[in-house]
Amino acid sequence: MRIYLAGPEVFLPDAAAIGAAKKAICARHGLTGVFPLDPPAAMPSGPPEWRRIFAANKLHLAGCEALVANLTPFRGAGADPGTVYELGYMRGLGRPVHGYTHDPRPHRARVPEARFDGEVWRDAEGLEVEEFGLAENLMIEGAIAASGGVLLRPEAPLPWNDLTLFEACIRAIAAGGRQAAE
């Protein structure tokens, strides 16, 4: 089974090493990891570069049976938007999606200026902030749950290069479901 390895690790200085480590974990569990920086079988051509990257990642997604997403907050209170797109795209194809975050806090707690107004939580601009105790926006967690996937978060913050929760997601996929991650 081919697994798309979504996440903002592609922006880290050691992206290739992290991708290789994730692919090795997949292989140990009898799965094939596909990292976004891997060249696809047929590399799209033509300018501009960002369109080629988009097309290459869509080819990767189409060729995978499942996805594991690193949903650790990236450049803000929530997950990397490209990762969230990839998760939604795979869910739209009807494929299982799994996720993990290295941040133990619920989504609302990651909005530092959030204040309770007596009815709901609001940010500095007065906009409502979700408060369901979830690790991410309810649509992301809902997509994962609807696909039979798992969303894992630690008890304490983890560094970017920690692959413990990633491997737990891979074990769940290899075992055919939720029970391996629990």
Side-chain angles (χ1 to χ4, degrees):
M1 175 184 275
R2 291 171 50 87
I3 311 298
Y4 188 81
L5 311 176
E9 290 90 347
V10 297
F11 300 111
L12 299 178
D14 58 347
I18 290 175
K22 285 183 162 191
K23 289 166 63 171
I25 290 169
C26 290
R28 281 200 312 269
H29 292 279
L31 305 169
T32 302
V34 177
F35 196 62
L37 297 179
D38 293 345
M43 182 62 177
S45 62
E49 181 181 2
W50 69 268
R51 298 278 308 259
R52 288 192 307 277
I53 294 168
F54 172 78
N57 287 343
K58 276 189 63 180
L59 287 171
H60 282 323
L61 289 161
C64 290
E65 289 82 27
L67 173 143
V68 174
N70 180 347
L71 298 169
T72 301
F74 184 71
R75 297 183 180 146
D80 168 53
T83 300
V84 172
Y85 171 85
E86 292 166 337
L87 186 148
Y89 187 85
M90 284 295 274
R91 189 63 200 122
L93 294 175
R95 298 178 188 162
V97 293
H98 301 258
Y100 65 95
T101 177
H102 288 165
D103 191 330
R105 297 173 297 165
H107 187 267
R108 195 248 340 127
R110 295 193 316 260
V111 181
E113 70 278 4
R115 299 290 179 258
F116 190 69
D117 71 3
E119 292 183 34
V120 297
W121 288 88
R122 297 201 181 275
D123 68 13
E125 296 182 58
L127 304 174
E128 187 173 339
V129 179
E130 286 184 9
E131 176 50 85
F132 296 108
L134 301 174
E136 258 306 330
N137 175 279
L138 70 91
M139 295 302 287
I140 297 168
E141 291 222 23
I144 291 170
S147 80
V150 297
L151 176 60
L152 305 175
R153 63 181 169 180
E155 292 183 21
L158 297 172
W160 280 104
N161 62 352
D162 187 293
L163 299 178
T164 307
L165 296 178
F166 169 78
E167 186 160 11
C169 288
I170 293 300
R171 279 196 313 270
I173 293 169
R178 212 178 266 283
Q179 67 279 5
E182 292 177 345

